[in-house]
Amino acid sequence: MAKLNMVKALNLALLQEMERDEDVLILGEDVGVDGGVFRVTEDLHRKFGSKRVIDSPLAEAAIIGAGVGMALYGLKPVCEIQFSGFAFQCFHQIENHVARYRMRSQGRFHVPMVIRMPYGGGVRALEHHSESEEQFYAHIPGLKMVIPSAPRNARALLVSAIRDPDPVIFFEHKGLYHAAKEDVPDEIETLPIGRAQVVREGRDLTLIAYGAMVRLAREAADTLAEEDGAECEVIDLLTVAPLDRDTLVASVQKTGRAVIVHEAPRSFGPGAEIATSIMDGAFLSLEAPIARVTSWDVPFPGFAREKGNVPDVARVLSAARATLEF
Amino acid sequence: MAQKTAIFQKSAPAAGIDPKLARALYADMVLIRRFEEKAAEGYALGKIGGFLHLYIGEEAVAVGATSAMRPDDYAIAAYREHGHCLAKGSDPKRVMAELYGRIDGLSKGKGGSMHLFDKSVNFLGGHAIVGAHLPLATGAGFSIKYRGGDQVVACYFGDGAVPEGEFHEAMNLAALWKLPVIFICENNRYAMGTSLERALAETEIWKFGRAYNMPSEAVDGMDVLAIRDVIGQAVARARVDGTPSLIEARTYRFRGHSMRDPAGAVYRTKEEVEREKLRDPIALFRDRALKAGWLSEDDLRSIEKDVADRVDEAVAFADASPEPPIEELLTDIFKES
C-alpha cells in the first residue's frame, strides 16, 4: 500500500501489467526516453527497453493504425495520444478500424488495445489541450469509453482495460493527475468496465458525474447536506460507454430527482443519453425534470475564460436546488 | 541502397520457371479474371449490393507477388481486393458468397466486396478508406518482428493512396523501425477519375521510397514474372533484417473504377483503353508460356476449363447460401460474454 497520485497510480498499472504479460506494449509520442508529457510512462522505457516502450514519430494515424496491426495478432498495445485534442489526426483509424474490426471480420480478428488520452479543462491550457470529447467515442459502437476519477480506480480500471479483449478509450483528466493522493494497494486490483459506483448514498437527489466532475458532485452533496438538509446520492460512472443504466435507474427510483454533471458541451452530450436512460427506467419515479450541468456549446475557450465554461460547484448547487424545489 | 531507375527489362528473367509454376500462375490469373467477370454479371443481376471494384487487368500483380511469398506471409489490401484474397488462397465459393451478402461468405455476408477477411490464409482484409490500411501493415510487420518471426507483410494499395498522409506516416514508420513490409503500389494511373498527373507532384511513385531510405523500384505490372522477380528480391531483403521496400507496379484497370462507371470512359480515351488492353497480363503470359514450352495449348485449355468450372461452382454456392439471419445484426460487436 502506497499513497499515490493518479500519475503514479497509472504508472503502476502499466508497470505491473507489462511485468505480467510480455504482449503488453506502450506506443506513443515521447512515451519512452522522455517518460511522457505527463510522466505517466516514466521509467518504463528504462525498465522494458525500446522494444516494448516505443517512441513513435509525430504521426497519430500511424500510432493507432500500427496499434491495430499489432493487436490483430495478439499483442496488447497501450497507445498514448498526447492530448485528446490531437486525436482527430487518428479519429478515422479509431472509428474505421479500432471499433469495427471485430464486427467487420465477424469475430475472426479483434483489437485488444487501449488508447489513453489526457483530456479535460480547468488546467489553464488552451484549445486542443482542454476539451472533453468523450461523447464522440461513447457514440461509436464497438468502443468502450472509460474515465476514472481518482488514483485507485484509475489504476484498477487501466488494468481492466488492458485485459479487455475489446478496445478501450481511456480518458485521464489532466486536472486529476496531481490533484490528490490515495492509498493504492501493491497487489493488482481490477474494476469491472461498464459498472458505475455509488460513492455517497442519499435519498433526496441523485448527482451523476465522472472524471473531474465527481469532486464537484461530492462537494455539492456535502454543502447540500449541511445547508439544505438534503441527502444526495452521488454516482461515479467510471465507464461512460457501455452505460451502467441499472445503477442509474435504481438510484433515481429511490430519489426521484437527478442532476447530471459533465464537462463536455451540452447538446448531444452524454447527459442526454443518461437522462433518457433514467426516463426509460424510472419515469414514474421522477419528481422533477432531470437537470444537466455542462460546459456551454462553444469551442473550448482560452484559459482566461475557461472558468465560466467548465462546470463549478456553484452551478451544480444551483441546478440541484432548482431540482429539489421543483 | 538498391534504388533503380524505372527502366523495365524487356521481359523478366525466366530462370526457375517450370511447367508447374507456369500452370499455377496462369490458373490463378485466369481464376481472378473469370471470377470477376461472373461478379460483374451478378452485380448487373442485382445479386450483389453495395459497390464492386474490379481488378480486371491488374491480375499479374497479386498473382506474381503472392507467388514470391510463403503461405504464412501476410497480405493486406484496399477495396479492389478480390484478386489478392483469391491469390492468397481463399475459397472462391466463400468469396463469391461474401459478395452476394450470404451467410457462407468469408465475413458471414456482412462485409461485402470491400471487406473480405480470411484469417486461415493470413489475409488481413480489404479496407475501404484509401490509405488507411497502410499503418495497419506496419503494425502487422511490428508483430512479426516482436515475435521473432521471419514472415513478411505484402501491403497493396493504389496510386490514389499516395497523396494520403498515412502513406507517408506508414512508410516512415516501417523504414524507421525496419519492419518487414513490402509496400506494393498498384499504379493503374487513375484514382477513380483523377489521373496521376492531376494528383501527384511526383508521378514516379517509386521515388517516394527514396525519401524514406527504402529500397524501391518500378516494375511492369503487366508482367507476372517481372513482378515475381522484383517482389522476390524485396521478400528476401525483408526476411533477412526486416528491410521494407516500395514497389510500384505499373498496371491498368481495363474496367471502370467501380460498376458506377463500367467502362471508365469519361476521364480516359477509348484509344488509351484499347492500347492498354494489348498489354493484357493474361494474354502476355499465355503467349510466353506457349513459346517457352512451359505449357501446351491443351494444358492452357484444360486450365481454362477447370477454372470456369470452379467459378460456376462458386456462383452456384453463393446463390444457394442463405442470407444472414436478422439476429446476426447484433453479433460480433464486443466479445460475447
Side-chain angles (χ1 to χ4, degrees):
Chain A
M1 188 78 78
K3 276 207 176 304
L4 302 178
N5 63 25
M6 194 191 271
V7 170
K8 297 283 186 200
L10 291 164
N11 184 267
L12 178 66
L14 292 168
L15 171 74
Q16 289 180 322
E17 285 303 284
M18 290 185 78
E19 282 173 342
R20 195 185 65 84
D21 181 353
E22 66 172 26
D23 284 343
V24 177
L25 314 175
I26 291 174
L27 173 62
E29 295 163 4
D30 276 328
V31 294
V33 174
D34 181 78
V37 66
F38 291 105
R39 324 304 306 160
V40 172
T41 55
E42 192 155 41
D43 279 340
L44 297 176
H45 182 267
R46 193 177 50 74
K47 194 155 174 56
F48 298 103
S50 300
K51 192 181 173 194
R52 295 183 64 195
V53 182
I54 306 151
D55 278 322
S56 82
L58 306 188
E60 288 79 9
I63 293 170
I64 301 304
V68 174
M70 293 174 185
L72 292 181
Y73 275 88
L75 298 184
K76 294 170 186 162
V78 181
C79 299
E80 178 178 301
I81 297 298
Q82 205 160 63
F83 286 88
S84 66
F86 303 172
F88 299 95
Q89 299 274 40
C90 56
F91 193 75
H92 86 99
Q93 285 291 347
I94 298 175
E95 201 271 343
N96 283 316
H97 296 149
V98 175
R100 298 186 187 209
Y101 238 87
R102 183 185 286 281
M103 183 276 295
R104 190 179 284 154
S105 69
Q106 307 316 314
R108 289 178 184 82
F109 293 102
H110 65 116
V111 182
M113 94 191 254
V114 180
I115 304 175
R116 295 181 35 247
M117 303 190 207
Y119 85 105
V123 293
R124 293 177 63 77
L126 291 168
E127 225 187 314
H128 309 307
H129 300 74
S130 301
E131 289 81 359
S132 189
E133 290 166 330
E134 59 276 15
Q135 63 280 11
F136 294 147
Y137 306 100
H139 192 64
I140 297 174
L143 295 180
K144 298 178 183 181
M145 174 75 238
V146 171
I147 307 186
S149 62
R152 187 169 175 176
N153 62 40
R155 187 277 199 108
L157 284 166
L158 184 54
V159 170
S160 297
I162 292 169
R163 295 182 186 184
D164 200 286
D166 285 303
V168 177
I169 309 294
F170 195 92
F171 267 24
E172 301 160 6
H173 198 288
K174 294 184 286 291
L176 295 178
Y177 273 146
H178 300 281
K181 288 187 177 179
E182 198 177 12
D183 280 328
V184 177
D186 299 329
E187 61 276 13
I188 297 179
E189 280 188 314
T190 61
L191 269 176
I193 289 173
R195 195 82 54 80
Q197 279 183 351
V198 176
V199 295
R200 176 193 174 110
E201 294 202 11
R203 60 177 185 276
D204 299 320
L205 168 71
T206 303
L207 287 169
I208 300 151
Y210 53 89
M213 297 295 103
V214 174
R215 182 186 60 79
L216 271 60
R218 282 172 177 264
E219 275 185 40
D222 288 344
T223 303
L224 289 163
E226 222 168 86
E227 297 180 4
D228 302 52
E231 287 303 325
C232 293
E233 184 141 300
V234 179
I235 293 178
D236 181 353
L237 282 186
L238 298 172
T239 300
V240 177
L243 188 60
D244 181 359
R245 294 180 167 85
D246 292 346
T247 298
L248 297 170
V249 166
S251 177
V252 178
Q253 278 173 341
K254 180 172 62 173
T255 63
R257 292 175 161 87
V259 174
I260 302 154
V261 190
H262 66 60
E263 232 181 290
R266 168 172 306 230
S267 296
F268 305 95
E273 178 63 28
I274 293 167
T276 310
S277 298
I278 292 169
M279 284 208 297
D280 282 345
F283 184 71
L284 294 177
S285 307
L286 283 171
E287 304 281 351
I290 299 165
R292 286 179 288 169
V293 181
T294 68
S295 291
W296 309 117
D297 287 339
V298 295
F300 202 90
F303 63 86
R305 288 273 175 271
E306 69 175 341
K307 272 213 169 81
N309 188 42
V310 176
D312 57 19
V313 176
R315 280 170 61 196
V316 178
L317 281 173
S318 161
R321 284 177 174 140
T323 304
L324 285 164
E325 286 158 17
F326 182 84
Chain B
M1 190 132 304
Q3 280 163 345
K4 300 177 186 172
T5 49
I7 299 166
F8 303 139
Q9 293 154 313
K10 207 154 177 66
S11 58
I17 311 298
D18 58 23
K20 191 174 162 221
L21 176 65
R23 170 179 291 274
L25 294 174
Y26 187 69
D28 281 355
M29 286 196 292
V30 175
L31 171 66
I32 297 169
R33 178 72 55 94
R34 294 288 166 268
F35 181 94
E36 292 209 303
E37 286 167 353
K38 283 289 177 192
E41 282 177 39
Y43 191 87
L45 291 169
K47 300 267 188 189
I48 296 174
F51 302 97
L52 189 70
H53 306 88
L54 300 178
Y55 193 56
I56 290 176
E58 308 185 28
E59 296 91 341
V61 185
V63 171
T66 308
S67 80
M69 297 185 189
R70 296 196 313 238
D72 65 332
D73 289 325
Y74 299 110
I76 185 165
Y79 52 81
R80 197 180 298 287
E81 91 285 25
H82 312 152
H84 311 92
C85 190
L86 290 168
K88 202 78 180 79
S90 290
D91 182 349
K93 294 201 291 291
R94 301 203 56 205
V95 180
M96 191 63 87
E98 188 58 39
L99 267 49
Y100 272 52
R102 304 300 173 88
I103 190 74
D104 295 306
L106 283 176
S107 302
K108 294 192 207 165
K110 298 198 290 181
S113 161
M114 297 194 281
H115 295 124
L116 302 171
F117 286 86
D118 195 346
K119 196 169 185 170
S120 70
V121 297
N122 281 357
F123 184 63
L124 295 176
H127 297 77
I129 304 296
V130 174
H133 65 293
L134 275 70
L136 273 61
T138 63
F142 183 96
S143 294
I144 292 168
K145 191 173 174 179
Y146 189 78
R147 299 241 195 258
D150 73 340
Q151 301 104 309
V152 303
V153 181
C155 176
Y156 301 92
F157 52 96
D159 47 289
V162 176
E164 291 280 1
E166 281 159 306
F167 167 83
H168 301 273
E169 293 189 26
M171 295 269 292
N172 181 53
L173 224 55
L176 187 69
W177 294 346
K178 289 204 92 153
L179 303 177
V181 182
I182 301 164
F183 294 96
I184 304 172
C185 179
E186 298 175 312
N187 176 8
N188 65 22
R189 306 205 327 241
Y190 295 89
M192 208 163 96
T194 302
S195 69
L196 201 60
E197 294 73 24
R198 296 169 57 219
L200 281 173
E202 172 55 79
T203 54
E204 302 260 323
I205 290 170
W206 66 276
K207 287 184 180 170
F208 286 101
R210 283 176 168 175
Y212 302 102
N213 280 325
M214 192 185 286
S216 54
E217 63 186 289
V219 60
D220 181 354
M222 299 309 215
D223 182 344
V224 69
L225 296 181
I227 293 156
R228 180 181 152 83
D229 183 45
V230 165
I231 299 292
Q233 293 168 34
V235 169
R237 285 192 293 267
R239 287 218 207 284
V240 173
D241 62 355
T243 298
S245 299
L246 171 64
I247 306 299
E248 176 194 349
R250 293 190 175 159
T251 183
Y252 199 81
R253 60 172 153 73
F254 295 164
R255 303 294 186 96
H257 164 72
S258 68
M259 298 304 284
R260 183 189 67 92
D261 63 330
V266 176
Y267 47 83
R268 49 188 198 180
T269 63
K270 203 175 163 197
E271 292 70 34
E272 176 184 305
V273 177
E274 291 309 316
R275 191 171 64 243
E276 291 298 332
K277 282 185 178 169
L278 298 175
R279 298 204 297 144
D280 186 324
I282 295 178
L284 289 179
F285 185 69
R286 194 182 200 283
D287 204 35
R288 192 156 173 207
L290 274 173
K291 283 194 182 127
W294 298 324
L295 298 169
S296 68
E297 273 291 352
D298 283 351
D299 292 333
L300 292 163
R301 273 196 295 272
S302 122
I303 292 169
E304 288 156 12
K305 167 80 174 69
D306 180 51
V307 163
D309 290 348
R310 286 179 72 198
V311 172
D312 286 344
E313 204 186 324
V315 171
F317 176 85
D319 226 5
S321 174
E323 291 190 338
I326 194 71
E327 301 80 56
E328 279 294 332
L329 186 60
L330 300 180
T331 62
D332 297 318
I333 307 302
F334 294 111
K335 186 179 184 190
E336 313 287 330
S337 47

